[in-house]
Amino acid sequence: MAEKTKSTTAASAKRGAKTTRRQNAEKGFTASSELAGNLQTVLVDLIELSLQGKQAHWNVVGRNFRDTHRQLDEIIDAAREFSDTVAERMRALHAVPDGRTDTIAETTSLPAFPAGEVSTTDTIDLITARLDAVVGTIRDVHDTIDEEDPTSADILHAVLESLEQFAWMVSAENRTPAGR
């Protein structure tokens, strides 16, 4: 029996999963280190999007303040929900998500958000760029994730759909009709 446990633990380690101090009783698919790393990359950018969205929410000023302020809340809530879904998916695959602030600051692909008050017009452009950046991160890792775990890819499809819709809706605030 002890030999079977060692063999199972060795097989899990070979697939890239980190075991906890007490091996969990649940079985099932275990993420490779590549899958876990790709999901971690998405997680980091979603957490950073929620944090930067909150920074923008607190400091946005100018025309259409109320609408922008409320729309930022929608984006923040969605980013938080998506990050939780991705982190819980990682745990279901025996991977360990890392949402610590130092990890987020060191590994996010999003550029820093400016300090201080930011006009609604600039906020719209800044948030659109960040939404596009997270979409880019997800698209960069999607195919690799899909090859190993179509279920995780399905989760990313829902995130993409929502973030792309937010990017369209937010950016429309600063657009003028085509041809004018």
Side-chain angles (χ1 to χ4, degrees), residues 71-159:
Q71 194 167 39
L72 288 166
D73 267 339
E74 292 173 14
I75 293 166
I76 294 159
D77 290 346
R80 286 178 176 164
E81 182 179 328
F82 296 148
S83 65
D84 191 53
T85 300
V86 169
E88 288 179 357
R89 179 65 185 160
M90 290 175 72
R91 291 302 298 148
L93 301 177
H94 309 284
V96 181
D98 187 353
R100 296 173 299 151
T101 55
D102 57 335
T103 300
I104 303 307
E106 291 171 8
T107 61
T108 186
S109 71
L110 277 61
F113 198 85
E117 291 183 337
V118 181
S119 72
T120 52
T121 302
D122 289 344
T123 298
I124 294 299
D125 291 341
L126 290 164
I127 291 300
T128 300
R130 276 124 186 100
L131 288 163
D132 289 342
V134 178
V135 165
T137 295
I138 294 169
R139 288 192 176 280
D140 285 346
V141 300
H142 175 272
D143 290 349
T144 303
I145 289 173
D146 193 32
E147 286 177 23
E148 183 172 345
D149 182 29
T151 303
S152 292
D154 287 348
I155 290 168
L156 297 184
H157 294 154
V159 174

Side-chain angles (χ1 to χ4, degrees), residues 18-93:
K18 293 181 181 178
T19 56
T20 57
R21 188 169 56 86
R22 294 183 187 182
Q23 185 65 34
N24 294 327
E26 70 268 7
K27 303 291 183 229
F29 179 73
T30 300
S32 68
S33 58
E34 182 179 27
L35 175 58
N38 284 334
L39 289 172
Q40 175 67 28
T41 300
V42 172
L43 176 64
V44 163
D45 278 1
L46 287 168
I47 293 170
E48 182 67 10
L49 177 63
S50 72
L51 294 171
Q52 289 195 23
K54 207 53 161 165
Q55 180 69 19
H57 172 86
W58 292 324
N59 292 296
V60 65
V61 296
R63 295 182 61 154
N64 298 322
F65 162 80
R66 185 176 168 88
D67 289 338
T68 303
H69 190 76
R70 286 184 160 183
Q71 194 167 39
L72 288 166
D73 267 339
E74 292 173 14
I75 293 166
I76 294 159
D77 290 346
R80 286 178 176 164
E81 182 179 328
F82 296 148
S83 65
D84 191 53
T85 300
V86 169
E88 288 179 357
R89 179 65 185 160
M90 290 175 72
R91 291 302 298 148
L93 301 177

